[in-house]
Amino acid sequence: MSQIHTSLSYSLNNNTMVKTERILPISFIKIALLSAIFIFARPSLVYGKEPIVSDTESKINSYSVLNYYDLKREAQNKEYGYKTDQILAEIGCSKRQTHQKFFYENIVNTSKPVQVINVISSQKKHCSEQVSKFLVERKKINNFEKFKQQLNLEDIYITIVSPSLTSPMSYFGHSFLIFKKKESWDFSNVLSFSAIIPAKDSYKKILIDGALGNMDGKFIFNQFFEIKRLYTLKEQRGMEIYKLKLTETEKNNLLREIYNKYEKVSRYSFFSQNCSSEIIDYISTINSDVKKQLNSQFLKTPSDTLNILKKVGLISNKHLRIESSLNIELNRYSQFSLVEKDKFKKYFSSKGNLNSISNNEANGVSNTANIFFNFFNEPFKNHNKLVGLNFLNDNPKIDFPFRLIDNYPIKLGIGSVYQNNSNPVKIQILPGYIERSVSKFSRLNETSLKFFNTELQANTNSLKIEKFDFIEMESINKSFGLIDLPSWRGYIGWNNKYRKNKKKVNNVEVGYGFSYGDNDVLISFLPQLYSEFNGNRTSLQGNVLVSYWLNRINFSFNGVYNLDKNRFQNSEILEMNVNLNSKWGFNVLNEFSQHRYSISVYKRFSI
């Protein structure tokens, strides 16, 4: 028997507080190490089934507890804020019907998050409107008009979640629909297609069945505030939201379609029938061109979903970007002076004077404390005091030149190589999926996930394989301030990168370390182990990466230095990638160790 498990339950148990003022995120490091191997990285799946619309009252209670400190800050400021407005709209209370003084005094006087539930409950009694129409029994709704009434639909949006910082299984991202509610974002319903698996299934069985398409899947509903918290705080992944260009008739037809098929179970496959393909298939019921585009795609990923919708004119480039908490804090911390950075760190210890803190610093301290509590699961000793400093801006605007809609997984490149007085043609074939210096999803992170990257060299007499990268994974995460994020990489391939005799060998590289930087600069050092399959040689190496982004242009230096200098040579590569647009770009590469440099033009696309 399958059981429901949405990974959206959160605890505010004070017993989880620890005694130290500075936390080493050991549990996060462990997760990062394990996730370097696919079999240890469980995908974001959902067990069982949910009713088509959940009990609204329980969602209000959950929302109030989770946002307790923000509600209290709004009450202390004695003015209506974003989250107060969300709750009042959901319970059917207008501002004129609310006893403002009574409402705020009661919130300010609470001392525990759970107490705010009683305040919200009391507030309902002071509203003249009846709120019973907002409460839904926990059972399947048989009346379509009642279902529409609960959604209170304004518009429908497609949302893409960026790749994970830690898990390669989530490097493809995620997609879902938001049924935007009138007067509310946070209590809007989110529709996604997810796998159903018995709770007892092993990782191995999940991976095998998911790859072979032997799993069941279905559509499920959640509240947007739950999903937003899950991705931007618990998993530290950003979101991009695009409005679908639909008529009222098309909106109504989509509601009728999901109402009729909500309980139906269908096949689930990681690669061909997943969150992206089923969302597109659902939208295709009101647009046949969408279905044609879907059938022509070999890979079905969230970025492909966006590209299909853009191609048929259902979305534009205009979008809302919701940043992860870590991205917000990196941007804030990068703008501090050295004196301000030192002062900021002291706020988390007994040396800091919280009485003199500025609003911007208070927002940063509050957000950082929440990151340790929710992302690292290891809060500071004075967590409650730190998160209660000031009202936290949910989503400050951060200029970012890349969009997930720009991401195309396939790359073909052609250019010229200059080495040893020869000038062969260079051909690169990269079937997928992400390149660190080409695709960028966050200022915090530079990610690579490449499969079967092949470089050919051709001249008038021959065509030969210069190198073959079977798989390369790396997640280079910037540490800053009090936040230590580990970086790691893994590689399996065939090349002569470190061989003094130029003989090509099969080899593996595994590295782990830390990286630092600000919005546009990254400096990384990863000690790594290099081992050859057929040469029986190993070497300890130091992998140094310096990366700088200027809008959509990336400059980087990557040096790998061997401890065993007698048998291995070092590798030093200086590279410039110019991303002209989402599809076209060119690359200039200087490999000092090989006395070789090259210039090539590339194009990215989907298949």
Side-chain angles (χ1 to χ4, degrees), residues 35-45 163-164 166-174 203 206-208 210-211 237 268 270-271 449 473 488:
S35 67
I37 306 174
F38 272 85
I39 198 167
F40 289 106
R42 180 186 287 268
S44 298
L45 303 177
S164 169
T166 57
S167 173
M169 291 295 290
S170 297
Y171 271 10
F172 295 97
H174 181 55
Y203 292 117
I206 292 172
L207 292 172
I208 293 175
R237 299 164 67 182
Y268 185 95
F270 287 156
F271 306 111
L449 178 60
M473 300 184 298
W488 57 267

PDB file of all heavy atoms in Angstrom, residues 35-45 163-164 166-174 203 206-208 210-211 237 268 270-271 449 473 488:
ATOM      1  N   SER A  35      25.872  12.486  -2.723  1.00  0.00           N
ATOM      2  CA  SER A  35      25.145  12.805  -3.951  1.00  0.00           C
ATOM      3  C   SER A  35      26.035  12.801  -5.179  1.00  0.00           C
ATOM      4  O   SER A  35      25.548  12.873  -6.294  1.00  0.00           O
ATOM      5  CB  SER A  35      24.469  14.178  -3.820  1.00  0.00           C
ATOM      6  OG  SER A  35      25.434  15.197  -3.762  1.00  0.00           O
ATOM      7  N   ALA A  36      27.355  12.718  -4.995  1.00  0.00           N
ATOM      8  CA  ALA A  36      28.260  12.621  -6.136  1.00  0.00           C
ATOM      9  C   ALA A  36      28.071  11.299  -6.871  1.00  0.00           C
ATOM     10  O   ALA A  36      28.475  11.146  -8.004  1.00  0.00           O
ATOM     11  CB  ALA A  36      29.708  12.759  -5.683  1.00  0.00           C
ATOM     12  N   ILE A  37      27.452  10.329  -6.199  1.00  0.00           N
ATOM     13  CA  ILE A  37      27.158   9.039  -6.809  1.00  0.00           C
ATOM     14  C   ILE A  37      25.648   8.949  -7.012  1.00  0.00           C
ATOM     15  O   ILE A  37      24.887   9.115  -6.075  1.00  0.00           O
ATOM     16  CB  ILE A  37      27.647   7.883  -5.909  1.00  0.00           C
ATOM     17  CG1 ILE A  37      29.136   8.081  -5.580  1.00  0.00           C
ATOM     18  CG2 ILE A  37      27.416   6.547  -6.589  1.00  0.00           C
ATOM     19  CD1 ILE A  37      29.662   7.073  -4.586  1.00  0.00           C
ATOM     20  N   PHE A  38      25.207   8.681  -8.219  1.00  0.00           N
ATOM     21  CA  PHE A  38      23.788   8.753  -8.538  1.00  0.00           C
ATOM     22  C   PHE A  38      22.929   7.867  -7.640  1.00  0.00           C
ATOM     23  O   PHE A  38      21.841   8.241  -7.257  1.00  0.00           O
ATOM     24  CB  PHE A  38      23.569   8.320  -9.996  1.00  0.00           C
ATOM     25  CG  PHE A  38      23.688   9.441 -10.960  1.00  0.00           C
ATOM     26  CD1 PHE A  38      24.923   9.824 -11.456  1.00  0.00           C
ATOM     27  CD2 PHE A  38      22.574  10.139 -11.365  1.00  0.00           C
ATOM     28  CE1 PHE A  38      25.038  10.861 -12.342  1.00  0.00           C
ATOM     29  CE2 PHE A  38      22.674  11.189 -12.259  1.00  0.00           C
ATOM     30  CZ  PHE A  38      23.908  11.549 -12.755  1.00  0.00           C
ATOM     31  N   ILE A  39      23.422   6.704  -7.321  1.00  0.00           N
ATOM     32  CA  ILE A  39      22.568   5.750  -6.626  1.00  0.00           C
ATOM     33  C   ILE A  39      22.199   6.218  -5.233  1.00  0.00           C
ATOM     34  O   ILE A  39      21.233   5.773  -4.634  1.00  0.00           O
ATOM     35  CB  ILE A  39      23.240   4.366  -6.573  1.00  0.00           C
ATOM     36  CG1 ILE A  39      22.207   3.289  -6.259  1.00  0.00           C
ATOM     37  CG2 ILE A  39      24.386   4.360  -5.563  1.00  0.00           C
ATOM     38  CD1 ILE A  39      22.698   1.894  -6.485  1.00  0.00           C
ATOM     39  N   PHE A  40      22.959   7.169  -4.652  1.00  0.00           N
ATOM     40  CA  PHE A  40      22.656   7.682  -3.323  1.00  0.00           C
ATOM     41  C   PHE A  40      21.768   8.915  -3.375  1.00  0.00           C
ATOM     42  O   PHE A  40      21.427   9.452  -2.335  1.00  0.00           O
ATOM     43  CB  PHE A  40      23.940   8.025  -2.564  1.00  0.00           C
ATOM     44  CG  PHE A  40      24.716   6.814  -2.147  1.00  0.00           C
ATOM     45  CD1 PHE A  40      25.881   6.478  -2.809  1.00  0.00           C
ATOM     46  CD2 PHE A  40      24.273   6.009  -1.123  1.00  0.00           C
ATOM     47  CE1 PHE A  40      26.602   5.358  -2.431  1.00  0.00           C
ATOM     48  CE2 PHE A  40      24.985   4.892  -0.746  1.00  0.00           C
ATOM     49  CZ  PHE A  40      26.153   4.568  -1.400  1.00  0.00           C
ATOM     50  N   ALA A  41      21.452   9.399  -4.558  1.00  0.00           N
ATOM     51  CA  ALA A  41      20.697  10.647  -4.671  1.00  0.00           C
ATOM     52  C   ALA A  41      19.258  10.347  -5.060  1.00  0.00           C
ATOM     53  O   ALA A  41      18.949  10.143  -6.213  1.00  0.00           O
ATOM     54  CB  ALA A  41      21.339  11.565  -5.701  1.00  0.00           C
ATOM     55  N   ARG A  42      18.396  10.263  -4.073  1.00  0.00           N
ATOM     56  CA  ARG A  42      16.987   9.965  -4.341  1.00  0.00           C
ATOM     57  C   ARG A  42      16.345  11.133  -5.077  1.00  0.00           C
ATOM     58  O   ARG A  42      16.458  12.271  -4.657  1.00  0.00           O
ATOM     59  CB  ARG A  42      16.241   9.719  -3.033  1.00  0.00           C
ATOM     60  CG  ARG A  42      14.754   9.395  -3.234  1.00  0.00           C
ATOM     61  CD  ARG A  42      14.028   9.299  -1.909  1.00  0.00           C
ATOM     62  NE  ARG A  42      14.392   8.093  -1.209  1.00  0.00           N
ATOM     63  CZ  ARG A  42      13.728   6.939  -1.315  1.00  0.00           C
ATOM     64  NH1 ARG A  42      12.693   6.863  -2.123  1.00  0.00           N
ATOM     65  NH2 ARG A  42      14.109   5.892  -0.640  1.00  0.00           N
ATOM     66  N   PRO A  43      15.629  10.868  -6.166  1.00  0.00           N
ATOM     67  CA  PRO A  43      14.942  11.948  -6.876  1.00  0.00           C
ATOM     68  C   PRO A  43      13.785  12.489  -6.059  1.00  0.00           C
ATOM     69  O   PRO A  43      13.314  11.848  -5.131  1.00  0.00           O
ATOM     70  CB  PRO A  43      14.445  11.263  -8.158  1.00  0.00           C
ATOM     71  CG  PRO A  43      14.337   9.826  -7.784  1.00  0.00           C
ATOM     72  CD  PRO A  43      15.431   9.563  -6.797  1.00  0.00           C
ATOM     73  N   SER A  44      13.309  13.685  -6.416  1.00  0.00           N
ATOM     74  CA  SER A  44      12.202  14.312  -5.704  1.00  0.00           C
ATOM     75  C   SER A  44      10.894  13.690  -6.175  1.00  0.00           C
ATOM     76  O   SER A  44      10.265  14.154  -7.116  1.00  0.00           O
ATOM     77  CB  SER A  44      12.198  15.820  -5.948  1.00  0.00           C
ATOM     78  OG  SER A  44      13.374  16.390  -5.465  1.00  0.00           O
ATOM     79  N   LEU A  45      10.494  12.627  -5.523  1.00  0.00           N
ATOM     80  CA  LEU A  45       9.293  11.912  -5.914  1.00  0.00           C
ATOM     81  C   LEU A  45       8.223  12.077  -4.844  1.00  0.00           C
ATOM     82  O   LEU A  45       8.492  12.474  -3.729  1.00  0.00           O
ATOM     83  CB  LEU A  45       9.605  10.421  -6.096  1.00  0.00           C
ATOM     84  CG  LEU A  45      10.700  10.106  -7.111  1.00  0.00           C
ATOM     85  CD1 LEU A  45      10.954   8.613  -7.137  1.00  0.00           C
ATOM     86  CD2 LEU A  45      10.337  10.606  -8.484  1.00  0.00           C
ATOM     87  N   PRO A 163      18.363  23.653 -11.381  1.00  0.00           N
ATOM     88  CA  PRO A 163      19.022  22.436 -10.884  1.00  0.00           C
ATOM     89  C   PRO A 163      19.440  22.549  -9.425  1.00  0.00           C
ATOM     90  O   PRO A 163      19.636  23.638  -8.895  1.00  0.00           O
ATOM     91  CB  PRO A 163      20.241  22.316 -11.807  1.00  0.00           C
ATOM     92  CG  PRO A 163      19.848  23.018 -13.050  1.00  0.00           C
ATOM     93  CD  PRO A 163      18.989  24.161 -12.604  1.00  0.00           C
ATOM     94  N   SER A 164      19.594  21.413  -8.783  1.00  0.00           N
ATOM     95  CA  SER A 164      19.975  21.350  -7.380  1.00  0.00           C
ATOM     96  C   SER A 164      21.450  21.695  -7.192  1.00  0.00           C
ATOM     97  O   SER A 164      22.283  21.471  -8.074  1.00  0.00           O
ATOM     98  CB  SER A 164      19.707  19.946  -6.840  1.00  0.00           C
ATOM     99  OG  SER A 164      20.295  19.760  -5.573  1.00  0.00           O
ATOM    100  N   THR A 166      23.213  20.163  -4.891  1.00  0.00           N
ATOM    101  CA  THR A 166      23.883  18.995  -4.328  1.00  0.00           C
ATOM    102  C   THR A 166      23.611  17.688  -5.056  1.00  0.00           C
ATOM    103  O   THR A 166      24.438  16.788  -5.029  1.00  0.00           O
ATOM    104  CB  THR A 166      23.472  18.803  -2.858  1.00  0.00           C
ATOM    105  OG1 THR A 166      22.039  18.688  -2.794  1.00  0.00           O
ATOM    106  CG2 THR A 166      23.903  19.994  -2.020  1.00  0.00           C
ATOM    107  N   SER A 167      22.458  17.543  -5.698  1.00  0.00           N
ATOM    108  CA  SER A 167      22.074  16.245  -6.232  1.00  0.00           C
ATOM    109  C   SER A 167      22.078  16.217  -7.753  1.00  0.00           C
ATOM    110  O   SER A 167      21.304  16.922  -8.392  1.00  0.00           O
ATOM    111  CB  SER A 167      20.674  15.866  -5.733  1.00  0.00           C
ATOM    112  OG  SER A 167      20.234  14.687  -6.378  1.00  0.00           O
ATOM    113  N   PRO A 168      22.919  15.390  -8.379  1.00  0.00           N
ATOM    114  CA  PRO A 168      22.907  15.249  -9.835  1.00  0.00           C
ATOM    115  C   PRO A 168      21.564  14.758 -10.363  1.00  0.00           C
ATOM    116  O   PRO A 168      21.202  15.041 -11.500  1.00  0.00           O
ATOM    117  CB  PRO A 168      24.001  14.206 -10.101  1.00  0.00           C
ATOM    118  CG  PRO A 168      24.884  14.268  -8.917  1.00  0.00           C
ATOM    119  CD  PRO A 168      23.992  14.587  -7.758  1.00  0.00           C
ATOM    120  N   MET A 169      20.802  14.032  -9.552  1.00  0.00           N
ATOM    121  CA  MET A 169      19.495  13.554  -9.982  1.00  0.00           C
ATOM    122  C   MET A 169      18.532  14.704 -10.245  1.00  0.00           C
ATOM    123  O   MET A 169      17.521  14.538 -10.913  1.00  0.00           O
ATOM    124  CB  MET A 169      18.907  12.617  -8.920  1.00  0.00           C
ATOM    125  CG  MET A 169      19.639  11.297  -8.809  1.00  0.00           C
ATOM    126  SD  MET A 169      19.499  10.283 -10.303  1.00  0.00           S
ATOM    127  CE  MET A 169      17.775   9.830 -10.233  1.00  0.00           C
ATOM    128  N   SER A 170      18.836  15.880  -9.686  1.00  0.00           N
ATOM    129  CA  SER A 170      17.963  17.043  -9.876  1.00  0.00           C
ATOM    130  C   SER A 170      18.606  18.094 -10.773  1.00  0.00           C
ATOM    131  O   SER A 170      18.170  19.240 -10.782  1.00  0.00           O
ATOM    132  CB  SER A 170      17.610  17.658  -8.512  1.00  0.00           C
ATOM    133  OG  SER A 170      16.894  16.757  -7.716  1.00  0.00           O
ATOM    134  N   TYR A 171      19.669  17.730 -11.498  1.00  0.00           N
ATOM    135  CA  TYR A 171      20.335  18.690 -12.382  1.00  0.00           C
ATOM    136  C   TYR A 171      19.468  19.075 -13.579  1.00  0.00           C
ATOM    137  O   TYR A 171      19.728  20.085 -14.225  1.00  0.00           O
ATOM    138  CB  TYR A 171      21.658  18.108 -12.888  1.00  0.00           C
ATOM    139  CG  TYR A 171      22.834  18.394 -11.981  1.00  0.00           C
ATOM    140  CD1 TYR A 171      22.661  18.932 -10.717  1.00  0.00           C
ATOM    141  CD2 TYR A 171      24.130  18.126 -12.393  1.00  0.00           C
ATOM    142  CE1 TYR A 171      23.741  19.187  -9.896  1.00  0.00           C
ATOM    143  CE2 TYR A 171      25.218  18.377 -11.581  1.00  0.00           C
ATOM    144  CZ  TYR A 171      25.012  18.899 -10.328  1.00  0.00           C
ATOM    145  OH  TYR A 171      26.082  19.151  -9.520  1.00  0.00           O
ATOM    146  N   PHE A 172      18.445  18.281 -13.881  1.00  0.00           N
ATOM    147  CA  PHE A 172      17.584  18.611 -15.003  1.00  0.00           C
ATOM    148  C   PHE A 172      16.521  19.630 -14.624  1.00  0.00           C
ATOM    149  O   PHE A 172      15.829  20.146 -15.476  1.00  0.00           O
ATOM    150  CB  PHE A 172      16.912  17.349 -15.550  1.00  0.00           C
ATOM    151  CG  PHE A 172      17.878  16.374 -16.147  1.00  0.00           C
ATOM    152  CD1 PHE A 172      18.358  15.304 -15.418  1.00  0.00           C
ATOM    153  CD2 PHE A 172      18.330  16.542 -17.442  1.00  0.00           C
ATOM    154  CE1 PHE A 172      19.254  14.402 -15.968  1.00  0.00           C
ATOM    155  CE2 PHE A 172      19.228  15.643 -18.012  1.00  0.00           C
ATOM    156  CZ  PHE A 172      19.699  14.578 -17.266  1.00  0.00           C
ATOM    157  N   GLY A 173      16.389  19.913 -13.318  1.00  0.00           N
ATOM    158  CA  GLY A 173      15.385  20.860 -12.867  1.00  0.00           C
ATOM    159  C   GLY A 173      14.029  20.199 -12.671  1.00  0.00           C
ATOM    160  O   GLY A 173      13.897  18.971 -12.654  1.00  0.00           O
ATOM    161  N   HIS A 174      13.002  21.020 -12.557  1.00  0.00           N
ATOM    162  CA  HIS A 174      11.643  20.530 -12.329  1.00  0.00           C
ATOM    163  C   HIS A 174      10.667  21.555 -12.904  1.00  0.00           C
ATOM    164  O   HIS A 174      10.989  22.741 -13.017  1.00  0.00           O
ATOM    165  CB  HIS A 174      11.396  20.341 -10.827  1.00  0.00           C
ATOM    166  CG  HIS A 174      10.030  19.811 -10.496  1.00  0.00           C
ATOM    167  ND1 HIS A 174       9.526  18.652 -11.035  1.00  0.00           N
ATOM    168  CD2 HIS A 174       9.056  20.295  -9.686  1.00  0.00           C
ATOM    169  CE1 HIS A 174       8.312  18.435 -10.564  1.00  0.00           C
ATOM    170  NE2 HIS A 174       7.997  19.424  -9.745  1.00  0.00           N
ATOM    171  N   TYR A 203      16.572   2.358  -3.293  1.00  0.00           N
ATOM    172  CA  TYR A 203      17.117   3.309  -4.270  1.00  0.00           C
ATOM    173  C   TYR A 203      17.343   2.618  -5.621  1.00  0.00           C
ATOM    174  O   TYR A 203      17.038   3.173  -6.675  1.00  0.00           O
ATOM    175  CB  TYR A 203      18.451   3.872  -3.773  1.00  0.00           C
ATOM    176  CG  TYR A 203      18.352   4.766  -2.584  1.00  0.00           C
ATOM    177  CD1 TYR A 203      18.957   4.416  -1.379  1.00  0.00           C
ATOM    178  CD2 TYR A 203      17.669   5.980  -2.646  1.00  0.00           C
ATOM    179  CE1 TYR A 203      18.879   5.238  -0.282  1.00  0.00           C
ATOM    180  CE2 TYR A 203      17.591   6.812  -1.554  1.00  0.00           C
ATOM    181  CZ  TYR A 203      18.200   6.439  -0.370  1.00  0.00           C
ATOM    182  OH  TYR A 203      18.126   7.254   0.716  1.00  0.00           O
ATOM    183  N   ILE A 206      14.141   2.096  -7.489  1.00  0.00           N
ATOM    184  CA  ILE A 206      13.606   3.371  -7.983  1.00  0.00           C
ATOM    185  C   ILE A 206      14.329   3.781  -9.261  1.00  0.00           C
ATOM    186  O   ILE A 206      13.711   4.178 -10.255  1.00  0.00           O
ATOM    187  CB  ILE A 206      13.758   4.467  -6.909  1.00  0.00           C
ATOM    188  CG1 ILE A 206      12.846   4.168  -5.712  1.00  0.00           C
ATOM    189  CG2 ILE A 206      13.413   5.842  -7.483  1.00  0.00           C
ATOM    190  CD1 ILE A 206      13.079   5.078  -4.541  1.00  0.00           C
ATOM    191  N   LEU A 207      15.658   3.697  -9.234  1.00  0.00           N
ATOM    192  CA  LEU A 207      16.454   4.135 -10.377  1.00  0.00           C
ATOM    193  C   LEU A 207      16.222   3.249 -11.598  1.00  0.00           C
ATOM    194  O   LEU A 207      16.062   3.750 -12.715  1.00  0.00           O
ATOM    195  CB  LEU A 207      17.936   4.143 -10.003  1.00  0.00           C
ATOM    196  CG  LEU A 207      18.353   5.210  -8.973  1.00  0.00           C
ATOM    197  CD1 LEU A 207      19.791   4.991  -8.549  1.00  0.00           C
ATOM    198  CD2 LEU A 207      18.187   6.604  -9.554  1.00  0.00           C
ATOM    199  N   ILE A 208      16.193   1.954 -11.388  1.00  0.00           N
ATOM    200  CA  ILE A 208      16.004   1.028 -12.513  1.00  0.00           C
ATOM    201  C   ILE A 208      14.603   1.174 -13.094  1.00  0.00           C
ATOM    202  O   ILE A 208      14.419   1.310 -14.315  1.00  0.00           O
ATOM    203  CB  ILE A 208      16.272  -0.422 -12.071  1.00  0.00           C
ATOM    204  CG1 ILE A 208      17.758  -0.597 -11.720  1.00  0.00           C
ATOM    205  CG2 ILE A 208      15.869  -1.393 -13.177  1.00  0.00           C
ATOM    206  CD1 ILE A 208      18.091  -1.963 -11.161  1.00  0.00           C
ATOM    207  N   GLY A 210      12.543   3.683 -12.781  1.00  0.00           N
ATOM    208  CA  GLY A 210      12.362   5.014 -13.356  1.00  0.00           C
ATOM    209  C   GLY A 210      13.009   5.144 -14.713  1.00  0.00           C
ATOM    210  O   GLY A 210      12.455   5.756 -15.635  1.00  0.00           O
ATOM    211  N   ALA A 211      14.190   4.557 -14.873  1.00  0.00           N
ATOM    212  CA  ALA A 211      14.893   4.622 -16.154  1.00  0.00           C
ATOM    213  C   ALA A 211      14.187   3.800 -17.227  1.00  0.00           C
ATOM    214  O   ALA A 211      14.153   4.179 -18.403  1.00  0.00           O
ATOM    215  CB  ALA A 211      16.331   4.147 -15.977  1.00  0.00           C
ATOM    216  N   ARG A 237      16.978  26.308  -4.334  1.00  0.00           N
ATOM    217  CA  ARG A 237      16.865  26.318  -5.791  1.00  0.00           C
ATOM    218  C   ARG A 237      15.939  27.458  -6.209  1.00  0.00           C
ATOM    219  O   ARG A 237      14.875  27.643  -5.624  1.00  0.00           O
ATOM    220  CB  ARG A 237      16.315  24.978  -6.300  1.00  0.00           C
ATOM    221  CG  ARG A 237      17.211  23.813  -5.943  1.00  0.00           C
ATOM    222  CD  ARG A 237      16.511  22.476  -6.091  1.00  0.00           C
ATOM    223  NE  ARG A 237      16.207  22.163  -7.478  1.00  0.00           N
ATOM    224  CZ  ARG A 237      15.568  21.061  -7.862  1.00  0.00           C
ATOM    225  NH1 ARG A 237      15.149  20.191  -6.962  1.00  0.00           N
ATOM    226  NH2 ARG A 237      15.333  20.838  -9.144  1.00  0.00           N
ATOM    227  N   TYR A 268       5.309   6.444 -15.589  1.00  0.00           N
ATOM    228  CA  TYR A 268       6.306   7.473 -15.270  1.00  0.00           C
ATOM    229  C   TYR A 268       7.690   6.977 -15.698  1.00  0.00           C
ATOM    230  O   TYR A 268       8.088   5.853 -15.397  1.00  0.00           O
ATOM    231  CB  TYR A 268       6.323   7.777 -13.765  1.00  0.00           C
ATOM    232  CG  TYR A 268       7.251   8.923 -13.398  1.00  0.00           C
ATOM    233  CD1 TYR A 268       6.772  10.213 -13.266  1.00  0.00           C
ATOM    234  CD2 TYR A 268       8.618   8.706 -13.194  1.00  0.00           C
ATOM    235  CE1 TYR A 268       7.607  11.273 -12.946  1.00  0.00           C
ATOM    236  CE2 TYR A 268       9.469   9.746 -12.885  1.00  0.00           C
ATOM    237  CZ  TYR A 268       8.967  11.027 -12.754  1.00  0.00           C
ATOM    238  OH  TYR A 268       9.794  12.069 -12.447  1.00  0.00           O
ATOM    239  N   PHE A 270      11.853   8.556 -16.139  1.00  0.00           N
ATOM    240  CA  PHE A 270      12.756   9.682 -15.892  1.00  0.00           C
ATOM    241  C   PHE A 270      13.002  10.508 -17.152  1.00  0.00           C
ATOM    242  O   PHE A 270      13.158  11.720 -17.080  1.00  0.00           O
ATOM    243  CB  PHE A 270      14.112   9.176 -15.379  1.00  0.00           C
ATOM    244  CG  PHE A 270      14.081   8.669 -13.967  1.00  0.00           C
ATOM    245  CD1 PHE A 270      15.032   7.756 -13.530  1.00  0.00           C
ATOM    246  CD2 PHE A 270      13.124   9.101 -13.071  1.00  0.00           C
ATOM    247  CE1 PHE A 270      15.034   7.296 -12.227  1.00  0.00           C
ATOM    248  CE2 PHE A 270      13.105   8.630 -11.767  1.00  0.00           C
ATOM    249  CZ  PHE A 270      14.065   7.724 -11.339  1.00  0.00           C
ATOM    250  N   PHE A 271      13.044   9.845 -18.313  1.00  0.00           N
ATOM    251  CA  PHE A 271      13.530  10.502 -19.521  1.00  0.00           C
ATOM    252  C   PHE A 271      12.436  10.866 -20.524  1.00  0.00           C
ATOM    253  O   PHE A 271      12.607  11.810 -21.292  1.00  0.00           O
ATOM    254  CB  PHE A 271      14.571   9.610 -20.205  1.00  0.00           C
ATOM    255  CG  PHE A 271      15.690   9.200 -19.287  1.00  0.00           C
ATOM    256  CD1 PHE A 271      15.813   7.885 -18.880  1.00  0.00           C
ATOM    257  CD2 PHE A 271      16.591  10.136 -18.811  1.00  0.00           C
ATOM    258  CE1 PHE A 271      16.845   7.512 -18.025  1.00  0.00           C
ATOM    259  CE2 PHE A 271      17.611   9.763 -17.953  1.00  0.00           C
ATOM    260  CZ  PHE A 271      17.744   8.445 -17.553  1.00  0.00           C
ATOM    261  N   LEU A 449      27.303  19.064 -16.047  1.00  0.00           N
ATOM    262  CA  LEU A 449      26.822  17.694 -16.132  1.00  0.00           C
ATOM    263  C   LEU A 449      26.876  17.316 -17.611  1.00  0.00           C
ATOM    264  O   LEU A 449      25.969  17.597 -18.378  1.00  0.00           O
ATOM    265  CB  LEU A 449      25.396  17.562 -15.594  1.00  0.00           C
ATOM    266  CG  LEU A 449      24.778  16.166 -15.686  1.00  0.00           C
ATOM    267  CD1 LEU A 449      25.588  15.155 -14.910  1.00  0.00           C
ATOM    268  CD2 LEU A 449      23.327  16.176 -15.219  1.00  0.00           C
ATOM    269  N   MET A 473      30.851  15.500 -13.907  1.00  0.00           N
ATOM    270  CA  MET A 473      29.919  16.179 -13.013  1.00  0.00           C
ATOM    271  C   MET A 473      30.708  17.079 -12.079  1.00  0.00           C
ATOM    272  O   MET A 473      31.718  16.656 -11.519  1.00  0.00           O
ATOM    273  CB  MET A 473      29.122  15.180 -12.169  1.00  0.00           C
ATOM    274  CG  MET A 473      28.274  14.201 -12.945  1.00  0.00           C
ATOM    275  SD  MET A 473      27.288  13.139 -11.842  1.00  0.00           S
ATOM    276  CE  MET A 473      28.571  12.285 -10.929  1.00  0.00           C
ATOM    277  N   TRP A 488      32.460  19.941  -5.346  1.00  0.00           N
ATOM    278  CA  TRP A 488      32.967  18.619  -5.691  1.00  0.00           C
ATOM    279  C   TRP A 488      32.901  18.405  -7.196  1.00  0.00           C
ATOM    280  O   TRP A 488      32.194  19.102  -7.909  1.00  0.00           O
ATOM    281  CB  TRP A 488      32.176  17.525  -4.968  1.00  0.00           C
ATOM    282  CG  TRP A 488      30.694  17.550  -5.244  1.00  0.00           C
ATOM    283  CD1 TRP A 488      29.731  18.188  -4.525  1.00  0.00           C
ATOM    284  CD2 TRP A 488      30.012  16.915  -6.325  1.00  0.00           C
ATOM    285  NE1 TRP A 488      28.495  17.997  -5.089  1.00  0.00           N
ATOM    286  CE2 TRP A 488      28.637  17.216  -6.205  1.00  0.00           C
ATOM    287  CE3 TRP A 488      30.433  16.125  -7.398  1.00  0.00           C
ATOM    288  CZ2 TRP A 488      27.681  16.756  -7.102  1.00  0.00           C
ATOM    289  CZ3 TRP A 488      29.480  15.665  -8.302  1.00  0.00           C
ATOM    290  CH2 TRP A 488      28.123  15.984  -8.134  1.00  0.00           C
TER     291      TRP A 488
END
